[in-house]
Amino acid sequence: MKSNINKIVKGKYNVSTPSEGNLNLKKDFTKLCKLDLNNSDTLLNHLNLLRALTHEPYKNAYFLDKDGNKVYVSIQLTIDE
């Protein structure tokens, strides 16, 4: 910020567009959090999804039970020492 503040204030700065990367929107994350109990995939992919959504103290991953209640899911993996 220090090295560019003068350029920013004077309006003499260059804008560049990243050539690679992705855009992650909140709505995409919200959709990812709702687990589809009928989804057929590998166990590895399911574990990776749950690992990606498990961040204490947040409740992210969930599914809806037969009564429409949100049931939150998290995962804890431990390496045997």
Side-chain angles (χ1 to χ4, degrees):
M1 187 74 175
K2 270 185 174 181
S3 61
N4 291 307
I5 191 69
N6 287 331
K7 291 178 186 177
I8 294 170
V9 171
K10 293 177 183 177
K12 296 185 179 194
Y13 56 89
N14 295 322
V15 177
S16 62
T17 304
S19 59
E20 57 183 74
N22 59 352
L23 174 65
N24 299 301
L25 301 175
K26 171 103 169 84
K27 68 179 180 177
D28 297 327
F29 179 73
T30 301
K31 183 177 176 184
L32 188 64
C33 289
K34 184 176 181 183
L35 302 174
D36 178 359
L37 297 180
N38 295 310
N39 183 326
S40 177
D41 205 339
T42 65
L43 179 57
L44 178 62
N45 286 340
H46 287 297
L47 287 173
N48 284 337
L49 175 62
L50 291 174
R51 283 185 332 116
L53 295 174
T54 300
H55 300 283
E56 291 292 334
Y58 304 103
K59 295 178 180 177
N60 292 321
Y62 71 92
F63 64 90
L64 299 177
D65 69 9
K66 63 180 178 151
D67 297 321
N69 299 307
K70 269 188 182 181
V71 178
Y72 288 97
V73 178
S74 63
I75 190 168
Q76 179 180 348
L77 303 173
T78 306
I79 295 175
D80 185 20
E81 294 183 20

